[in-house]
Short mmCIF file of all heavy atoms in Angstrom, two decimals:
data_model
loop_
_atom_site.label_atom_id
_atom_site.label_comp_id
_atom_site.label_asym_id
_atom_site.label_seq_id
_atom_site.Cartn_x
_atom_site.Cartn_y
_atom_site.Cartn_z
N GLN A 1 -14.14 15.76 0.08
CA GLN A 1 -15.59 15.55 -0.25
C GLN A 1 -15.73 14.38 -1.20
O GLN A 1 -14.77 14.12 -2.03
CB GLN A 1 -16.17 16.88 -0.82
CG GLN A 1 -16.44 17.89 0.24
CD GLN A 1 -17.20 19.12 -0.38
OE1 GLN A 1 -17.13 19.35 -1.59
NE2 GLN A 1 -17.94 19.73 0.41
N ALA A 2 -16.85 13.73 -1.20
CA ALA A 2 -17.08 12.68 -2.14
C ALA A 2 -16.94 13.27 -3.60
O ALA A 2 -17.28 14.39 -3.88
CB ALA A 2 -18.55 12.21 -2.03
N GLY A 3 -16.28 12.40 -4.39
CA GLY A 3 -15.96 12.79 -5.77
C GLY A 3 -14.51 13.43 -5.89
O GLY A 3 -14.09 13.56 -7.08
N GLY A 4 -13.98 13.76 -4.79
CA GLY A 4 -12.69 14.33 -4.80
C GLY A 4 -11.48 13.37 -4.91
O GLY A 4 -11.73 12.09 -5.11
N SER A 5 -10.32 13.88 -4.82
CA SER A 5 -9.10 13.06 -4.95
C SER A 5 -8.09 13.28 -3.78
O SER A 5 -8.08 14.39 -3.26
CB SER A 5 -8.41 13.31 -6.32
OG SER A 5 -9.24 13.12 -7.43
N LEU A 6 -7.32 12.31 -3.52
CA LEU A 6 -6.18 12.37 -2.59
C LEU A 6 -5.03 11.49 -3.21
O LEU A 6 -5.31 10.51 -3.89
CB LEU A 6 -6.54 11.95 -1.26
CG LEU A 6 -7.22 12.84 -0.32
CD1 LEU A 6 -7.61 12.07 0.96
CD2 LEU A 6 -6.46 14.00 -0.05
N ARG A 7 -3.83 11.87 -2.81
CA ARG A 7 -2.72 10.99 -3.13
C ARG A 7 -1.96 10.64 -1.84
O ARG A 7 -1.50 11.62 -1.16
CB ARG A 7 -1.79 11.64 -4.16
CG ARG A 7 -0.67 10.66 -4.62
CD ARG A 7 0.25 11.26 -5.63
NE ARG A 7 1.31 12.12 -5.08
CZ ARG A 7 2.41 12.38 -5.62
NH1 ARG A 7 2.74 11.94 -6.74
NH2 ARG A 7 3.33 13.19 -4.98
N LEU A 8 -1.93 9.37 -1.59
CA LEU A 8 -1.13 8.85 -0.40
C LEU A 8 0.23 8.53 -0.84
O LEU A 8 0.48 8.09 -1.92
CB LEU A 8 -1.84 7.71 0.15
CG LEU A 8 -3.29 7.81 0.55
CD1 LEU A 8 -3.89 6.53 1.22
CD2 LEU A 8 -3.56 8.97 1.50
N SER A 9 1.10 8.74 0.12
CA SER A 9 2.53 8.28 -0.11
C SER A 9 2.96 7.33 0.93
O SER A 9 2.53 7.47 2.19
CB SER A 9 3.40 9.58 -0.03
OG SER A 9 3.18 10.45 -1.12
N CYS A 10 3.79 6.41 0.59
CA CYS A 10 4.45 5.48 1.50
C CYS A 10 5.94 5.60 1.30
O CYS A 10 6.46 5.09 0.25
CB CYS A 10 3.94 4.14 1.42
SG CYS A 10 4.78 2.90 2.39
N ALA A 11 6.67 6.16 2.26
CA ALA A 11 8.14 6.29 2.09
C ALA A 11 8.72 5.18 2.82
O ALA A 11 8.55 4.85 4.05
CB ALA A 11 8.58 7.61 2.78
N ALA A 12 9.67 4.41 2.14
CA ALA A 12 10.34 3.30 2.65
C ALA A 12 11.82 3.62 2.99
O ALA A 12 12.41 4.34 2.16
CB ALA A 12 10.27 2.12 1.72
N SER A 13 12.30 3.16 4.05
CA SER A 13 13.73 3.43 4.40
C SER A 13 14.26 2.15 4.98
O SER A 13 13.61 1.27 5.38
CB SER A 13 13.88 4.53 5.36
OG SER A 13 13.13 4.31 6.55
N GLY A 14 15.60 2.17 5.04
CA GLY A 14 16.32 0.88 5.53
C GLY A 14 16.70 0.05 4.34
O GLY A 14 17.09 0.55 3.36
N HIS A 15 16.51 -1.27 4.61
CA HIS A 15 17.06 -2.22 3.55
C HIS A 15 16.01 -2.41 2.47
O HIS A 15 15.53 -3.57 2.23
CB HIS A 15 17.36 -3.54 4.22
CG HIS A 15 18.54 -3.49 5.21
ND1 HIS A 15 18.83 -4.50 6.04
CD2 HIS A 15 19.41 -2.55 5.40
CE1 HIS A 15 19.89 -4.12 6.78
NE2 HIS A 15 20.20 -2.94 6.46
N THR A 16 15.73 -1.45 1.77
CA THR A 16 14.66 -1.52 0.70
C THR A 16 15.07 -2.42 -0.49
O THR A 16 14.27 -2.78 -1.15
CB THR A 16 14.37 -0.06 0.14
OG1 THR A 16 15.61 0.57 -0.34
CG2 THR A 16 13.76 0.76 1.27
N PHE A 17 16.44 -2.63 -0.57
CA PHE A 17 16.85 -3.51 -1.74
C PHE A 17 16.30 -4.97 -1.50
O PHE A 17 16.36 -5.68 -2.37
CB PHE A 17 18.41 -3.55 -1.68
CG PHE A 17 18.98 -4.02 -0.38
CD1 PHE A 17 19.14 -5.37 -0.17
CD2 PHE A 17 19.39 -3.08 0.59
CE1 PHE A 17 19.73 -5.78 0.99
CE2 PHE A 17 19.95 -3.53 1.68
CZ PHE A 17 20.13 -4.85 1.95
N SER A 18 15.85 -5.25 -0.24
CA SER A 18 15.39 -6.62 -0.01
C SER A 18 13.97 -6.79 -0.33
O SER A 18 13.45 -7.92 -0.25
CB SER A 18 15.65 -6.93 1.54
OG SER A 18 14.78 -6.14 2.29
N LEU A 19 13.28 -5.74 -0.66
CA LEU A 19 11.81 -5.86 -0.95
C LEU A 19 11.49 -6.57 -2.20
O LEU A 19 12.09 -6.25 -3.28
CB LEU A 19 11.22 -4.50 -0.79
CG LEU A 19 11.25 -3.77 0.54
CD1 LEU A 19 10.53 -2.38 0.42
CD2 LEU A 19 10.54 -4.65 1.59
N ARG A 20 10.41 -7.34 -2.23
CA ARG A 20 9.83 -7.96 -3.42
C ARG A 20 8.66 -7.09 -3.85
O ARG A 20 8.33 -6.96 -5.07
CB ARG A 20 9.48 -9.39 -3.18
CG ARG A 20 8.48 -9.98 -4.23
CD ARG A 20 9.36 -10.55 -5.36
NE ARG A 20 8.51 -11.06 -6.48
CZ ARG A 20 7.87 -12.27 -6.47
NH1 ARG A 20 8.08 -13.07 -5.43
NH2 ARG A 20 7.12 -12.58 -7.44
N SER A 21 7.87 -6.64 -2.88
CA SER A 21 6.63 -5.86 -3.27
C SER A 21 6.11 -5.04 -2.10
O SER A 21 6.73 -5.17 -1.01
CB SER A 21 5.47 -6.95 -3.48
OG SER A 21 5.27 -7.80 -2.35
N ILE A 22 5.24 -4.15 -2.49
CA ILE A 22 4.67 -3.19 -1.46
C ILE A 22 3.29 -2.89 -1.85
O ILE A 22 2.92 -2.83 -2.99
CB ILE A 22 5.64 -1.95 -1.40
CG1 ILE A 22 5.21 -1.04 -0.28
CG2 ILE A 22 5.59 -1.21 -2.75
CD1 ILE A 22 6.29 0.06 0.06
N GLY A 23 2.45 -2.63 -0.83
CA GLY A 23 1.03 -2.42 -1.17
C GLY A 23 0.30 -1.63 -0.11
O GLY A 23 0.94 -1.17 0.90
N TRP A 24 -0.91 -1.45 -0.43
CA TRP A 24 -1.88 -0.66 0.47
C TRP A 24 -3.07 -1.47 1.00
O TRP A 24 -3.66 -2.29 0.21
CB TRP A 24 -2.41 0.57 -0.26
CG TRP A 24 -1.38 1.62 -0.56
CD1 TRP A 24 -0.66 1.72 -1.68
CD2 TRP A 24 -0.95 2.66 0.31
NE1 TRP A 24 0.18 2.78 -1.63
CE2 TRP A 24 0.01 3.35 -0.38
CE3 TRP A 24 -1.28 3.13 1.52
CZ2 TRP A 24 0.65 4.51 0.13
CZ3 TRP A 24 -0.84 4.26 2.20
CH2 TRP A 24 0.21 4.98 1.41
N PHE A 25 -3.40 -1.29 2.27
CA PHE A 25 -4.53 -1.88 2.85
C PHE A 25 -5.35 -0.77 3.57
O PHE A 25 -4.81 0.37 3.66
CB PHE A 25 -4.17 -2.85 3.92
CG PHE A 25 -3.41 -4.12 3.34
CD1 PHE A 25 -2.11 -4.03 3.11
CD2 PHE A 25 -4.13 -5.29 3.03
CE1 PHE A 25 -1.49 -5.16 2.60
CE2 PHE A 25 -3.61 -6.35 2.53
CZ PHE A 25 -2.15 -6.29 2.23
N ARG A 26 -6.56 -1.02 3.86
CA ARG A 26 -7.34 -0.04 4.63
C ARG A 26 -8.26 -0.74 5.63
O ARG A 26 -8.53 -1.89 5.37
CB ARG A 26 -8.16 0.82 3.69
CG ARG A 26 -9.30 0.02 2.92
CD ARG A 26 -9.92 1.02 1.96
NE ARG A 26 -10.99 0.33 1.20
CZ ARG A 26 -11.68 0.90 0.19
NH1 ARG A 26 -11.36 2.15 -0.23
NH2 ARG A 26 -12.65 0.22 -0.38
N GLN A 27 -8.60 -0.04 6.67
CA GLN A 27 -9.36 -0.61 7.74
C GLN A 27 -10.33 0.49 8.27
O GLN A 27 -9.91 1.51 8.74
CB GLN A 27 -8.68 -1.24 8.89
CG GLN A 27 -9.48 -1.90 9.89
CD GLN A 27 -8.67 -2.77 10.72
OE1 GLN A 27 -7.52 -2.65 10.97
NE2 GLN A 27 -9.36 -3.79 11.37
N ALA A 28 -11.65 0.33 8.04
CA ALA A 28 -12.63 1.18 8.53
C ALA A 28 -13.02 0.83 9.91
O ALA A 28 -12.88 -0.35 10.26
CB ALA A 28 -13.81 1.24 7.62
N PRO A 29 -13.65 1.72 10.65
CA PRO A 29 -14.02 1.35 12.05
C PRO A 29 -15.00 0.19 12.08
O PRO A 29 -15.88 0.01 11.21
CB PRO A 29 -14.84 2.60 12.50
CG PRO A 29 -14.17 3.75 11.76
CD PRO A 29 -13.91 3.08 10.35
N VAL A 30 -14.71 -0.70 12.99
CA VAL A 30 -15.50 -1.95 13.33
C VAL A 30 -15.58 -2.83 12.00
O VAL A 30 -16.43 -3.67 11.83
CB VAL A 30 -16.86 -1.75 13.82
CG1 VAL A 30 -16.86 -0.98 15.09
CG2 VAL A 30 -17.78 -0.95 12.80
N GLN A 31 -14.61 -2.75 11.10
CA GLN A 31 -14.54 -3.48 9.87
C GLN A 31 -13.24 -4.21 9.80
O GLN A 31 -12.23 -3.77 10.42
CB GLN A 31 -14.77 -2.78 8.63
CG GLN A 31 -16.23 -2.19 8.48
CD GLN A 31 -16.60 -1.74 7.10
OE1 GLN A 31 -15.93 -2.02 6.14
NE2 GLN A 31 -17.65 -0.95 7.01
N GLU A 32 -13.16 -5.28 9.07
CA GLU A 32 -11.89 -6.04 8.87
C GLU A 32 -10.92 -5.26 7.89
O GLU A 32 -11.50 -4.45 7.13
CB GLU A 32 -12.14 -7.40 8.28
CG GLU A 32 -12.81 -8.31 9.28
CD GLU A 32 -12.81 -9.78 8.81
OE1 GLU A 32 -12.55 -10.03 7.56
OE2 GLU A 32 -13.21 -10.68 9.55
N ARG A 33 -9.74 -5.53 8.06
CA ARG A 33 -8.68 -4.92 7.19
C ARG A 33 -9.01 -5.46 5.71
O ARG A 33 -9.41 -6.56 5.51
CB ARG A 33 -7.35 -5.38 7.58
CG ARG A 33 -6.15 -4.82 6.69
CD ARG A 33 -4.88 -5.36 7.24
NE ARG A 33 -4.85 -6.81 7.20
CZ ARG A 33 -4.21 -7.63 8.08
NH1 ARG A 33 -3.45 -7.13 9.02
NH2 ARG A 33 -4.20 -8.93 7.92
N GLU A 34 -8.86 -4.51 4.74
CA GLU A 34 -9.19 -4.81 3.31
C GLU A 34 -7.93 -4.54 2.47
O GLU A 34 -7.43 -3.43 2.55
CB GLU A 34 -10.40 -4.01 2.95
CG GLU A 34 -10.74 -4.10 1.45
CD GLU A 34 -11.90 -3.13 1.07
OE1 GLU A 34 -12.19 -2.18 1.78
OE2 GLU A 34 -12.54 -3.37 0.05
N PHE A 35 -7.71 -5.43 1.53
CA PHE A 35 -6.63 -5.15 0.62
C PHE A 35 -7.13 -4.15 -0.40
O PHE A 35 -8.29 -4.10 -0.82
CB PHE A 35 -6.35 -6.45 -0.22
CG PHE A 35 -5.54 -6.25 -1.44
CD1 PHE A 35 -4.13 -5.88 -1.38
CD2 PHE A 35 -6.17 -6.38 -2.68
CE1 PHE A 35 -3.49 -5.77 -2.55
CE2 PHE A 35 -5.39 -6.24 -3.85
CZ PHE A 35 -4.05 -5.85 -3.78
N VAL A 36 -6.20 -3.18 -0.89
CA VAL A 36 -6.45 -2.09 -1.72
C VAL A 36 -5.75 -2.34 -3.12
O VAL A 36 -6.26 -2.43 -4.15
CB VAL A 36 -6.18 -0.71 -1.15
CG1 VAL A 36 -6.43 0.39 -2.23
CG2 VAL A 36 -7.07 -0.48 0.10
N ALA A 37 -4.36 -2.34 -2.99
CA ALA A 37 -3.51 -2.44 -4.18
C ALA A 37 -2.17 -2.81 -3.79
O ALA A 37 -1.75 -2.50 -2.69
CB ALA A 37 -3.61 -1.13 -4.97
N ALA A 38 -1.41 -3.42 -4.68
CA ALA A 38 0.00 -3.80 -4.49
C ALA A 38 0.68 -3.71 -5.77
O ALA A 38 0.17 -3.88 -6.87
CB ALA A 38 0.07 -5.16 -3.81
N ILE A 39 2.04 -3.56 -5.60
CA ILE A 39 2.94 -3.32 -6.78
C ILE A 39 4.27 -4.10 -6.50
O ILE A 39 4.80 -4.10 -5.41
CB ILE A 39 3.13 -1.88 -7.12
CG1 ILE A 39 3.77 -1.74 -8.44
CG2 ILE A 39 3.81 -1.14 -6.00
CD1 ILE A 39 3.82 -0.30 -8.92
N GLY A 40 4.91 -4.68 -7.49
CA GLY A 40 6.24 -5.17 -7.38
C GLY A 40 7.20 -4.06 -7.11
O GLY A 40 7.04 -3.00 -7.64
N TRP A 41 8.21 -4.37 -6.28
CA TRP A 41 9.18 -3.32 -5.93
C TRP A 41 10.09 -3.06 -7.18
O TRP A 41 10.55 -1.89 -7.37
CB TRP A 41 10.00 -3.71 -4.73
CG TRP A 41 10.90 -2.62 -4.22
CD1 TRP A 41 12.26 -2.62 -4.24
CD2 TRP A 41 10.53 -1.38 -3.58
NE1 TRP A 41 12.74 -1.47 -3.71
CE2 TRP A 41 11.73 -0.67 -3.31
CE3 TRP A 41 9.22 -0.84 -3.34
CZ2 TRP A 41 11.69 0.63 -2.69
CZ3 TRP A 41 9.29 0.47 -2.67
CH2 TRP A 41 10.49 1.13 -2.42
N SER A 42 10.46 -3.99 -7.93
CA SER A 42 11.31 -3.81 -9.02
C SER A 42 10.88 -4.44 -10.27
O SER A 42 11.64 -4.74 -11.26
CB SER A 42 12.75 -4.42 -8.68
OG SER A 42 12.71 -5.70 -8.28
N ASP A 43 9.55 -4.78 -10.34
CA ASP A 43 8.94 -5.29 -11.61
C ASP A 43 7.63 -4.61 -11.85
O ASP A 43 7.23 -3.71 -11.07
CB ASP A 43 8.83 -6.81 -11.53
CG ASP A 43 7.87 -7.31 -10.39
OD1 ASP A 43 6.85 -6.75 -10.26
OD2 ASP A 43 8.29 -8.20 -9.66
N THR A 44 6.94 -5.03 -12.83
CA THR A 44 5.71 -4.24 -13.24
C THR A 44 4.49 -4.91 -12.69
O THR A 44 3.31 -4.47 -13.12
CB THR A 44 5.77 -4.13 -14.85
OG1 THR A 44 5.66 -5.46 -15.38
CG2 THR A 44 6.88 -3.37 -15.32
N ALA A 45 4.59 -5.93 -11.90
CA ALA A 45 3.35 -6.62 -11.44
C ALA A 45 2.53 -5.66 -10.58
O ALA A 45 3.00 -4.98 -9.65
CB ALA A 45 3.71 -7.78 -10.62
#
């Protein structure tokens, strides 16, 4: 419901040591993909 909370998870597997960053996008029906948030894989960005 509106006002509520959810926590999404993204589990990475394979050559994760090669990653620089990881992030989230979203796409609503008949809308373009939208950036949500991103974080460095091994830094604080």
Side-chain angles (χ1 to χ4, degrees):
Q1 288 188 330
S5 299
L6 278 177
R7 189 178 79 157
L8 305 183
S9 299
C10 173
S13 61
H15 295 170
T16 58
F17 59 85
S18 67
L19 295 179
R20 167 83 186 278
S21 59
I22 189 165
W24 290 94
F25 294 85
R26 65 187 182 186
Q27 188 165 18
V30 301
Q31 293 193 17
E32 290 190 351
R33 183 181 59 210
E34 177 187 17
F35 165 73
V36 176
I39 187 169
W41 186 249
S42 56
D43 59 50
T44 58

